[in-house]
Amino acid sequence: NNLSSTYNWSIHSQVGNISLFNPKIFRMMFRMDNISEPETGCLDAPKIFNYTRCVPYNTTVNLLRQRNITIIGMDESFPMWMTGAPRQNGEIPYPRNLTSGSTYMQFLQNYSDAWYTLASNFTNIDYWEPGNEYNLNSTLKGYNVSDPNKNPVNFTFDEKINVTLDLMYRAHAAIKQADPNAFIFMPGLAAANKGGKEETDESSNILLYGIRDFINQTYINIESGQFPNSTNPSTNPRDYFDGIAYHPYARWKGPTVNWDDGNNWTNANKQIYAVIEQHESQDIPVFFSEYGFADSFYSSNWNSYANWTFESINLSINNFPWLWGITWHRLYDIPNSSVYL
């Protein structure tokens, strides 16, 4: 939409220009219901697919597949018809009440139905990433069901993990029901601390440790036999995700620079995978579903960003045999502009 409105590019033109980069994979954002542009959402309700509004999505998928580009379908939206929220702000019911008939359980049923509806209408997509950065306060937030008009609720670290496990379990089952051969990554995790805040200054590279801790606790909770609930638990990670996804942003310093604690980007990612290995009996693919340097608009650093891009790719090739792929986020066209690929 950014490119269409700015340059009047058609979908064919956009995909054609994307193809010039010779990408192997493309992370494509779907919207069950687009908060900022409701007329572009794919669903009208959990079980109602809007074929007319999804024509652009279908066109894009077909054009990418014609070029042998692997698509990862991602959606992070929480529409009001899914959550019962009093406002269009992406909030989900709080607290996490697993009692039958609760507002939270109705939300989970709607969430499951919506993912089945979306995936069953795009069975030509082989990879899915149901959700995005649910370890951030700005992405996963609640409305208090006992007083919906109160300000949004920030989930604690533990609450975020518990809710994310519910969402992963439901989405995984729904997508597999629609397409048993689909491969499903966990929602990509942000570089954030345990308080759900993302990087804001030069000390923030250390927040990759937040990804490590979130993944570790996710496995611990799965292994506890208490999820998705204690009466019908699953301790098999493959009931929640088939691969790991996270966003190892390191915008403020290059990937070869040592951090204040002596660590660096390469070692921090190795440490994340070491945690994964502690809980997995075999290798599991890891997807850097967002990575890059150009988000911050520091034009004085653009040459550094370009060099860091090549450094990051080479370091990944030489150090991360478990890495399935990287999608760059984002490539800006104009300084201080919202126009990007």
Side-chain angles (χ1 to χ4, degrees):
N1 288 337
N2 287 299
L3 294 170
S4 297
S5 60
T6 304
Y7 295 120
N8 197 30
W9 282 6
S10 67
I11 292 175
H12 287 76
S13 296
Q14 292 183 52
V15 174
N17 281 282
I18 289 169
S19 301
L20 296 177
F21 292 97
N22 193 30
K24 301 297 185 290
I25 59 177
F26 186 84
R27 184 182 186 234
M28 181 174 169
M29 181 179 286
F30 287 77
R31 301 301 301 196
M32 297 181 189
D33 183 25
N34 195 324
I35 292 173
S36 59
E37 300 174 80
E39 69 279 4
T40 65
C42 266
L43 274 65
D44 292 326
K47 297 182 180 182
I48 302 177
F49 186 80
N50 191 308
Y51 293 92
T52 301
R53 287 207 303 264
C54 265
V55 167
Y57 293 90
N58 274 310
T59 301
T60 304
V61 169
N62 290 334
L63 289 171
L64 290 168
R65 286 180 61 86
Q66 287 171 15
R67 290 162 172 78
N68 295 318
I69 299 172
T70 297
I71 302 165
I72 303 94
M74 189 277 284
D75 193 337
E76 59 183 351
S77 53
F78 294 120
M80 291 173 67
W81 49 252
M82 176 191 290
T83 65
R87 50 194 167 255
Q88 188 72 294
N89 198 24
E91 300 161 22
I92 70 170
Y94 178 90
R96 178 180 176 262
N97 182 353
L98 300 183
T99 304
S100 178
S102 70
T103 304
Y104 184 79
M105 291 304 292
Q106 182 57 56
F107 154 65
L108 288 183
Q109 185 59 56
N110 290 341
Y111 184 81
S112 179
D113 290 340
W115 268 106
Y116 174 78
T117 302
L118 184 67
S120 62
N121 281 279
F122 288 99
T123 54
N124 53 353
I125 293 181
D126 300 320
Y127 295 86
W128 289 97
E129 184 186 357
N132 184 58
E133 298 191 336
Y134 289 158
N135 59 329
L136 285 182
N137 291 338
S138 58
T139 307
L140 188 65
K141 51 196 172 185
Y143 72 90
N144 195 318
V145 296
S146 62
D147 191 352
N149 293 317
K150 280 188 175 180
N151 290 333
V153 178
N154 285 334
F155 291 97
T156 67
F157 177 77
D158 290 330
E159 287 173 335
K160 286 187 180 74
I161 292 173
N162 295 345
V163 170
T164 300
L165 280 166
D166 291 338
L167 299 178
M168 287 193 295
Y169 184 85
R170 293 287 183 138
H172 191 277
I175 296 170
K176 288 289 189 180
Q177 182 182 358
D179 180 6
N181 296 317
F183 189 97
I184 303 160
F185 287 99
M186 67 159 46
L189 297 175
N193 61 24
K194 284 191 173 183
K197 296 180 179 179
E198 56 190 332
E199 52 186 76
T200 56
D201 56 38
E202 292 190 14
S203 65
S204 59
N205 286 345
I206 204 167
L207 294 184
L208 290 186
Y209 299 152
I211 294 174
R212 177 199 62 195
D213 295 341
F214 199 97
I215 290 174
N216 186 50
Q217 192 61 48
T218 295
Y219 276 110
I220 290 172
N221 284 15
I222 291 173
E223 294 160 359
S224 72
Q226 297 297 310
F227 292 86
N229 56 69
S230 58
T231 58
N232 187 29
S234 172
T235 58
N236 182 3
R238 296 296 81 78
D239 285 335
Y240 300 83
F241 53 83
D242 303 319
I244 302 290
Y246 66 89
H247 306 159
Y249 285 119
R251 297 186 182 101
W252 300 92
K253 297 179 181 179
T256 62
V257 175
N258 283 341
W259 302 345
D260 293 343
D261 66 349
N263 207 353
N264 59 44
W265 184 81
T266 301
N267 287 336
N269 282 292
K270 287 182 177 180
Q271 289 163 8
I272 290 173
Y273 195 75
V275 165
I276 297 169
E277 285 185 310
Q278 292 174 12
H279 299 279
E280 293 283 354
S281 59
Q282 57 188 14
D283 292 340
I284 181 173
V286 174
F287 177 30
F288 291 173
S289 56
E290 288 182 24
Y291 182 62
F293 299 99
D295 274 357
S296 302
F297 292 125
Y298 286 89
S299 58
S300 61
N301 288 339
W302 283 358
N303 287 332
S304 296
Y305 291 156
N307 292 330
W308 294 349
T309 298
F310 287 105
E311 287 179 359
S312 300
I313 292 173
N314 287 328
L315 286 170
S316 298
I317 291 172
N318 294 324
N319 290 279
F320 309 147
W322 36 261
L323 185 60
W324 179 84
I326 305 174
T327 48
W328 218 255
H329 186 81
R330 293 169 289 195
L331 298 178
Y332 277 92
D333 182 39
I334 303 171
N336 300 311
S337 167
S338 62
V339 180
Y340 59 84
L341 288 173

